[in-house]
Amino acid sequence: MTRELLVSFAEAVLRAPESPSGVGLVPGTFWAPDVHGQPREGTLADKEWFDTVFPKTSSSRKGNTAEPPKEDDSADDESETGGESGATTEELDEEIPEDALTRMTQLRSDLPSVVESNRDSVTTIAEQLRTLLAHIEAAVRAREEAGAQEEHPDARILYAEELGEIKKQGVKITELLDAATLTVMSL
């Protein structure tokens, strides 16, 4: 939890009744901010997100929970001077074990960006393969225009083997995407 996240969340809550803060959103809703306060499109700031980011804790102190937590005057001094220690966040991260629901919510909220990143990577690979094919085709045309002999058979076999290895990776990608498609139906 960062100051930027808290400020961004507060601003989004205050703006939400007036107008949507993202494309496709109705008034009263907004995209959940990331740790730096930037909206994460595709992740709605709903109750599950809120409970994950702002877990229910009464105090970071260990001990008797029957007694109300004692006021700490030094915290007031820090807030008046604008200082932030960040130690509370570290303590809370260590004290609160991540439960299955929290982990599930986090994984679900990260899924759109992971899918998009992989789609972008595969798109880049496809573009690189188109460039490779164009380069090979240009080399063949240039050889034919020059009237030169074909590359030595050993070199052509080596290129074919290397392209075969790339193709094997493509098959693995297809198998993994098929498995991911089947698995996502259980999400």
Side-chain angles (χ1 to χ4, degrees):
M1 187 177 331
T2 64
R3 181 179 190 286
E4 292 85 4
L5 172 62
L6 291 171
V7 169
S8 175
F9 179 69
E11 289 173 350
V13 168
L14 293 173
R15 275 192 317 266
E18 295 174 7
S19 63
S21 60
V23 176
L25 294 176
V26 298
T29 62
F30 56 94
W31 296 127
D34 63 13
V35 293
H36 304 289
Q38 300 300 316
R40 292 187 318 194
E41 288 197 27
T43 304
L44 194 62
D46 58 7
K47 182 176 180 350
E48 286 183 57
W49 172 84
F50 183 86
D51 289 345
T52 301
V53 176
F54 304 102
K56 296 176 185 177
T57 58
S58 60
S59 173
S60 63
R61 295 180 182 91
K62 294 181 182 175
N64 185 357
T65 55
E67 290 182 30
K70 295 181 182 178
E71 293 292 325
D72 185 4
D73 293 334
S74 65
D76 291 338
D77 294 340
E78 285 182 14
S79 64
E80 289 175 7
T81 60
E84 296 178 352
S85 69
T88 304
T89 303
E90 290 177 27
E91 290 178 31
L92 287 176
D93 288 343
E94 293 174 4
E95 292 178 20
I96 300 173
E98 183 177 57
D99 64 354
L101 180 62
T102 302
R103 182 164 164 69
M104 177 203 67
T105 303
Q106 183 63 45
L107 289 169
R108 281 184 177 176
S109 69
D110 291 344
L111 191 56
S113 64
V114 172
V115 169
E116 182 179 345
S117 172
N118 280 271
R119 184 182 63 223
D120 292 346
S121 295
V122 171
T123 300
T124 300
I125 290 169
E127 290 170 1
Q128 290 174 339
L129 290 173
R130 277 190 286 279
T131 301
L132 171 64
L133 176 59
H135 186 85
I136 293 170
E137 291 171 340
V140 169
R141 280 192 306 275
R143 181 196 57 78
E144 290 171 348
E145 289 172 4
Q149 292 183 348
E150 292 180 346
E151 184 81 73
H152 190 275
D154 290 342
R156 288 183 288 169
I157 290 171
L158 181 62
Y159 289 135
E161 287 174 354
E162 290 176 1
L163 292 171
E165 289 299 317
I166 294 171
K167 187 175 180 179
K168 285 180 187 177
Q169 293 301 315
V171 170
K172 287 181 185 178
I173 289 170
T174 301
E175 291 170 354
L176 290 169
L177 285 171
D178 288 345
T181 302
L182 289 173
T183 306
V184 80
M185 295 315 217
S186 299
L187 193 62

